[in-house]
Amino acid sequence: MKNYMSPKGIAVTAAVVSLLASAALAQDVPAGYPADYASIIAAAKKEGTVSVYTSTDAAQSQKLQDAFSKKYGIKIAYNDLGTNGAYNQVISEAAAKQTTADVVWSSAMDLQMTLVQDGYADEYVSPEASRLPAWADYKNELYATTVEPIGVIFNTKALSEDKLPKTYADMITFLKTNKSTLQGKVATFDPEKSGSGFLHHSNDARNRKDFWDLAKAMGDDGAKIYSSSGGMKETVVSGENVIAINIIGSYALAWVKESPNLGVHFATDYTPAFSRLILKTKDAPHPNAAKLFIDFMLSSEGQSLLAESGLPSVRQDVTSGLNVKTLNDRVGGGLKPIAVDEGVLEYMDQMKRVKFLNDWKAALGR
């Protein structure tokens, strides 16, 4: 004999299943988040994937990616396109009305801000926003996810750290007084070929009246220019160059652990720091997964995973790796994060950009 459930029984069973599902989703909601956040999680899981356009090597975010996917069962389409590549792809797709990126996560602060100003980003008030420094949140459209110092690497067999200059101004003097020793052995970013290099140098130009004195001193020492931090690292390790200036310090802090003849150095009065910025695209195909990914990256858990991977946390409550406070101690107290605001766009003006690059070439004797 077959057993049939009554309509009332079916309704009760459905209600129980619904309650259990709601309870499971409620357990997923992080502490302190609004109760209705469960609906974002449910919708994100239904979307099933999040597409990330980035300039960050996958190895540096792998722990975060793995933890996010394990926690929510959402796949990550991770596209390392570089700073210029990510920016150009977003614009091209929007023009064709075929947006693929859900979020853009890039170290090119100026390009990210340009995307926001030109209308390619969506406002999203993250529940984690209140836990960030004021300088790390631009109108709930652009969030800083890391704080990474800009510093110097040097060959420890050629230079001892106690001989290196303590301040920015001292570096200019150091380059001038050691011209014969440093001739042809100084490296720095090429601002014309590197988005990071342009940001680092132009930020100094905005904040230091003596930046062009530094550029001229590097030029007088026959400085060589490179498109990547990795390229500079190899030449300093080999001894081809003995010092590289304005390099990505977060990379350098990791490199010195595995390269015995490589040192990292920061000016105690002025150590600028850039951030990898994240935004949600205006027509994100997976909008809820995008929100969930941003929130996870800004959360204490996500920030800890990034810090463990060598990308210092923008939050002070993260104890893994370095955070914005302990990083300031590590560099000597002069940490100056680049604020996430319109200031980063100053040299994006075409006329100012051309003038900056021409002045740069002139200073380096190119």
Side-chain angles (χ1 to χ4, degrees), residues 111-173:
L111 294 179
Q112 289 287 81
M113 182 61 72
T114 299
L115 287 176
V116 169
Q117 296 295 320
D118 290 347
Y120 294 98
D122 237 354
E123 179 181 359
Y124 171 57
V125 182
S126 170
E128 298 289 348
S130 62
R131 299 174 175 88
L132 303 179
W135 58 262
D137 174 3
Y138 180 76
K139 298 182 178 180
N140 299 311
E141 291 181 282
L142 198 55
Y143 294 106
T145 66
T146 66
V147 55
E148 302 179 53
I150 300 168
V152 168
I153 57 172
F154 62 98
N155 185 298
T156 56
K157 293 181 179 178
L159 297 172
S160 59
E161 186 164 16
D162 62 334
K163 302 295 184 184
L164 291 174
K166 303 300 182 186
T167 68
Y168 190 97
D170 289 343
M171 176 60 78
I172 299 169
T173 302

Side-chain angles (χ1 to χ4, degrees), residues 317-344:
D317 60 347
V318 168
T319 56
S320 300
L322 290 167
N323 64 38
V324 66
K325 184 177 184 301
T326 57
L327 178 63
N328 183 50
D329 296 336
R330 172 64 182 81
V331 302
L335 191 69
K336 301 289 190 298
I338 301 173
V340 187
D341 61 25
E342 293 93 341
V344 298

Side-chain angles (χ1 to χ4, degrees), residues 75-88:
K75 296 179 181 178
I76 299 175
Y78 197 85
N79 303 278
D80 182 359
L81 304 175
T83 53
N84 292 333
Y87 171 80
N88 290 329

Side-chain angles (χ1 to χ4, degrees), residues 46-364:
K46 188 173 181 181
E47 290 168 356
T49 189
V50 60
S51 175
V52 180
Y53 283 8
T54 186
S55 62
T56 302
D57 187 86
Q60 290 182 292
S61 64
Q62 198 61 57
K63 286 185 177 181
L64 179 134
Q65 291 185 62
D66 292 344
F68 177 80
S69 293
K70 181 178 180 180
K71 186 170 187 174
Y72 295 112
I74 295 172
K75 296 179 181 178
I76 299 175
Y78 197 85
N79 303 278
D80 182 359
L81 304 175
T83 53
N84 292 333
Y87 171 80
N88 290 329
Q89 190 72 9
V90 168
I91 293 174
S92 297
E93 290 179 0
K97 299 188 183 304
Q98 295 181 340
T99 297
T100 299
D102 294 306
V103 298
V104 185
W105 183 39
S106 172
S107 58
M109 298 178 72
D110 43 11
L111 294 179
Q112 289 287 81
M113 182 61 72
T114 299
L115 287 176
V116 169
Q117 296 295 320
D118 290 347
Y120 294 98
D122 237 354
E123 179 181 359
Y124 171 57
V125 182
S126 170
E128 298 289 348
S130 62
R131 299 174 175 88
L132 303 179
W135 58 262
D137 174 3
Y138 180 76
K139 298 182 178 180
N140 299 311
E141 291 181 282
L142 198 55
Y143 294 106
T145 66
T146 66
V147 55
E148 302 179 53
I150 300 168
V152 168
I153 57 172
F154 62 98
N155 185 298
T156 56
K157 293 181 179 178
L159 297 172
S160 59
E161 186 164 16
D162 62 334
K163 302 295 184 184
L164 291 174
K166 303 300 182 186
T167 68
Y168 190 97
D170 289 343
M171 176 60 78
I172 299 169
T173 302
F174 176 80
L175 292 172
K176 289 180 177 178
T177 56
N178 293 279
K179 185 175 177 180
S180 59
T181 304
L182 298 174
Q183 190 65 34
K185 293 184 176 295
V186 176
T188 193
F189 266 124
D190 181 348
E192 199 163 21
K193 294 182 179 178
S194 166
S196 294
F198 186 83
L199 176 68
H200 295 187
H201 294 323
S202 62
N203 177 67
D204 278 2
R206 285 197 297 133
N207 291 282
R208 300 284 314 197
K209 292 181 179 178
D210 52 358
F211 168 72
W212 292 110
D213 294 327
L214 177 68
K216 181 67 165 55
M218 287 193 288
D220 288 344
D221 284 355
K224 291 174 282 188
I225 52 178
Y226 297 81
S227 61
S228 71
S229 290
M232 284 186 270
K233 172 209 171 186
E234 295 304 319
T235 66
V236 174
V237 170
S238 69
E240 176 186 341
N241 292 312
V242 298
I243 190 169
I245 298 171
N246 266 8
I247 200 164
I248 297 176
S250 52
Y251 291 172
L253 288 167
W255 292 337
V256 296
K257 295 176 182 178
E258 56 193 42
S259 301
N261 64 326
L262 190 68
V264 59
H265 181 73
F266 302 98
T268 57
D269 65 328
Y270 173 77
T271 296
F274 72 93
S275 299
R276 293 170 199 267
L277 306 183
I278 194 165
L279 61 83
K280 174 183 173 292
T281 59
K282 195 168 190 64
D283 297 309
H286 310 104
N288 294 287
K291 294 174 183 178
L292 196 61
F293 186 77
I294 289 172
D295 295 336
F296 185 74
M297 183 174 282
L298 296 176
S299 71
S300 178
E301 181 181 358
Q303 286 285 290
S304 295
L305 293 168
L306 288 177
E308 287 173 12
S309 302
L311 302 178
S313 173
V314 74
R315 295 173 53 146
Q316 289 193 34
D317 60 347
V318 168
T319 56
S320 300
L322 290 167
N323 64 38
V324 66
K325 184 177 184 301
T326 57
L327 178 63
N328 183 50
D329 296 336
R330 172 64 182 81
V331 302
L335 191 69
K336 301 289 190 298
I338 301 173
V340 187
D341 61 25
E342 293 93 341
V344 298
L345 295 179
E346 180 175 345
Y347 286 98
M348 294 302 284
D349 175 83
Q350 190 60 28
M351 289 184 66
K352 284 191 174 183
R353 185 182 182 91
V354 170
K355 184 179 186 308
F356 177 87
L357 292 174
N358 286 337
D359 289 346
W360 169 262
K361 291 175 184 176
L364 263 67

